Amino acid sequence: MKRILLTLAALGTALTMQAKVVLPGIFGDNMVLQQQSEAQFWGKAAPGKKVTIRPSWSTQGITANVGKDGRWRAAVPTPEAGGPYTIELSDGERLTLRDVLIGEVWLCSGQSNMEMPLKGFDSQPVHGGLDAAMRAGGYPGIRLFQVARATASEPQQDCTGKWETSSMRPASGFSAVGYYFGLWLHRALGIPVGLIESDWGATRIEAWMSAGAAQSVDEKILATDAAYDAQNRVAALYNAMIRPLTPYTLRGFIWYQGESNKGYHAKYPYDMAALAANWRAAWGGGEQMPFYYVQLAPFDYDIPMHRFRGEENPILLPLMVEAQIRALDLIPNTGMAVNTDLGDATQIHPPRKDLVGQRLTLLALTGTYGCEGIDSRGPLFERADFGDGRAVVTFRSNSTLIPTDTPLQGFEIAGKDRIFHPAEAFVIHRDYDFSRQVEVRSDAVAEPVAVRYAFRNVVERVNLTNTIGLPAFPFRTDTWDDAGFAQ
């Protein structure tokens, strides 16, 4: 009899547990929901039940039917930015989410330069990170969610993490690029910002997209898995660290990755396009979901441990940057934060994450939020005309070029011998009649046929910018991967 009573008690407890609404980890106290959207909610409950969602900003409840598999999903209309609010979910037993804000939600992903926290890595500081962390408590409208590292061979339904209000402890360990992006966005828009960080250092792009997306670029890509550890296998991080976040309603994505794909620059633009399309499809947002990313910074990839296949290649990095620039034409609604001026020859994790975050924010403010008044993109190469012993390079730019009275650094010029020489370069202007052209010449090259700018692994003191100070995109006019350099 005692055994029967214990069994009935256990069964009653199990039924009670099954009756309670269960939400995936991305939902919780302190979260931010995307403003003026149909915010997606989903979870588990007892089959056949109805789940009612009652947000405190509305008098209307939303009801979802629980399927035979115990799963349910509902769209909750959200108001303009504001809060805090509460949200009650019930299938007969109440679950309450507290201190919920309505604002802008972004996913921050990539490898170690995205992962690098405000407090820095060992012996690798973040510029201004201490100050930003100590001031973080002054921005309770910024909310942070970090996805715990995990790998999976199949798509997962949940991940580990929790929403936290900005303060010194969570901010110091959060992505510096992501935090600065959110901080500038919060300041500029004056509304809450939710940041979801999902990244892992030293990971290739193929790990962050579905197997189907990766195979759409390279149908034999799965055969490469044997050469990689668990976190670098195709779809391993998508399955465990991206898929569980869908379809939590977002505004868009910021991405900082590529170092682990060096040497595979020919297909990298198509990988980026496949990843962006894959994520947009997974969230059901389509091309209107912005996808902004960061240019790889200059670094000495001829250091033995960072070489590709053990070979020296002084343009290994700019070949990847060239691939990133090509991706701009393949991905709708995108932009690249240029940081040629922020590299460090000996530090693969450059410290000026504050400026990287600011430049990403500027892309979002102009490209997503319709803010006007500032040119958000640095000068981009348009064409080069050769003659009279010089090259005249024309740039696409919404503002004029600077400096106008100082020699430009980082330009090189070559003749038919394919040997590049350091060049003299100046912005072309007459008095206050400023152009968007640069004259490039060298006494060592009588008849130039090719010009490059910042097209080396390591570049120093590059100084061509637009009027607001955003750096010019690196470029080359040739296709010579076997060119030489004057000593």
Side-chain angles (χ1 to χ4, degrees):
M1 183 66 178
K2 183 177 181 181
R3 180 178 296 177
I4 294 173
L5 290 174
L6 288 172
T7 301
L8 290 173
L11 180 60
T13 301
L15 289 173
T16 300
M17 291 177 64
Q18 288 177 357
K20 187 174 182 179
V21 174
V22 177
L23 293 170
I26 188 61
F27 293 94
D29 296 344
N30 310 311
M31 69 181 181
V32 179
L33 295 176
Q34 179 60 43
Q35 67 168 329
Q36 296 177 298
S37 72
E38 295 288 317
Q40 297 300 305
F41 278 68
W42 71 97
K44 296 180 181 179
K49 290 268 192 175
K50 292 182 182 292
V51 174
T52 301
I53 305 171
R54 297 187 182 280
S56 63
W57 63 78
S58 174
T59 58
Q60 300 296 317
I62 296 93
T63 301
N65 295 318
V66 183
K68 294 180 180 179
D69 59 357
R71 301 185 183 280
W72 59 271
R73 180 170 168 176
V76 178
T78 58
E80 293 182 352
Y85 299 103
T86 60
I87 302 174
E88 292 185 354
L89 300 97
S90 176
D91 65 347
E93 187 171 348
R94 184 179 301 172
L95 170 66
T96 303
L97 303 177
R98 296 178 171 82
D99 194 20
V100 175
L101 299 181
I102 307 296
E104 293 296 302
V105 187
W106 288 80
L107 173 65
C108 317
S109 187
Q111 59 179 111
S112 58
N113 267 306
M114 180 64 82
E115 182 181 25
M116 190 179 193
L118 276 178
K119 63 184 178 183
F121 289 141
D122 290 348
S123 300
Q124 300 175 79
V126 167
H127 179 83
L130 174 61
D131 183 68
M134 293 180 70
R135 294 175 182 269
Y139 299 98
I142 298 176
R143 303 295 171 85
L144 311 172
F145 185 97
Q146 279 184 298
V147 178
R149 285 184 171 187
T151 64
S153 58
E154 298 293 334
Q156 301 298 297
Q157 300 296 323
D158 206 355
C159 61
T160 301
K162 68 174 182 178
W163 285 98
E164 297 190 87
T165 301
S166 178
S167 65
M168 184 171 178
R169 184 194 57 75
S172 65
F174 198 82
S175 161
V177 168
Y179 186 82
Y180 280 122
F181 170 80
L183 177 62
W184 286 109
L185 199 62
H186 178 60
R187 287 173 172 175
L189 299 178
I191 61 176
V193 173
L195 302 169
I196 302 170
E197 178 187 354
S198 183
D199 45 38
W200 193 325
T203 53
R204 60 176 179 156
I205 193 172
E206 292 89 346
W208 289 104
M209 65 178 91
S210 70
Q215 288 173 303
S216 72
V217 179
D218 180 358
E219 62 182 14
K220 298 180 180 179
I221 191 65
L222 295 179
T224 66
D225 276 352
Y228 291 95
D229 48 22
Q231 68 267 28
N232 268 305
R233 291 170 188 158
V234 175
L237 303 182
Y238 174 83
N239 289 337
M241 298 177 65
I242 297 295
R243 181 63 181 83
L245 302 172
T246 63
Y248 192 88
T249 306
L250 308 175
R251 173 65 72 188
F253 315 98
I254 59 172
W255 173 253
Y256 194 165
Q257 189 276 342
E259 297 91 342
S260 290
N261 287 85
K262 63 182 183 289
Y264 298 99
H265 46 274
K267 79 184 194 75
Y268 190 71
Y270 306 100
D271 282 328
M272 288 187 65
L275 179 136
N278 182 203
W279 287 10
R280 287 165 168 171
W283 264 273
E287 293 179 356
Q288 67 266 30
M289 293 187 77
F291 182 89
Y292 300 120
Y293 58 94
V294 183
Q295 175 207 331
L296 299 185
F299 173 73
D300 187 2
Y301 278 95
D302 283 333
I303 296 173
M305 69 175 292
H306 289 286
R307 292 175 184 169
F308 177 64
R309 295 176 176 168
E311 300 174 359
E312 291 189 26
N313 185 344
I315 63 168
L316 182 63
L317 173 75
L319 289 173
M320 281 298 293
V321 174
E322 190 173 60
Q324 291 182 300
I325 295 172
R326 287 174 179 164
L328 292 171
D329 293 328
L330 301 177
I331 305 172
N333 195 9
T334 192
M336 184 175 82
V338 179
N339 62 357
T340 311
D341 57 331
L342 305 181
D344 187 313
T346 62
Q347 197 63 273
I348 199 168
H349 304 116
R352 293 306 304 263
K353 297 295 190 276
D354 54 336
L355 292 179
V356 176
Q358 185 185 61
R359 291 169 185 179
L360 283 168
T361 306
L362 187 55
L363 290 173
L365 289 173
T366 57
T368 301
Y369 297 105
C371 298
E372 299 178 348
I374 294 180
D375 185 3
S376 62
R377 188 182 69 178
L380 180 65
F381 171 78
E382 184 173 279
R383 73 175 192 274
D385 299 300
F386 297 92
D388 298 326
R390 67 174 187 165
V392 174
V393 181
T394 302
F395 291 87
R396 293 203 302 270
S397 178
N398 290 329
S399 60
T400 53
L401 311 180
I402 60 170
T404 58
D405 55 358
T406 303
L408 300 176
Q409 306 295 320
F411 281 90
E412 295 178 292
I413 200 164
K416 293 180 180 179
D417 62 357
R418 299 190 178 192
I419 303 298
F420 279 90
H421 297 262
E424 297 177 357
F426 296 88
V427 173
I428 298 174
H429 69 98
R430 179 174 296 176
D431 297 325
Y432 289 99
D433 182 14
F434 299 107
S435 75
R436 289 164 177 76
Q437 294 182 316
V438 170
E439 178 179 321
V440 186
R441 64 170 65 241
S442 171
D443 290 341
V445 184
E447 297 184 14
V449 298
V451 63
R452 293 179 175 182
Y453 175 70
F455 212 81
R456 296 274 197 118
N457 291 341
V458 179
V459 294
E460 298 179 0
R461 299 183 300 277
V462 290
N463 59 343
L464 178 61
T465 73
N466 64 7
T467 304
I468 204 66
L470 295 176
F473 286 66
F475 74 89
R476 62 173 174 168
T477 63
D478 62 276
T479 58
W480 309 331
D481 291 350
D482 58 346
F485 301 95
Q487 299 300 314

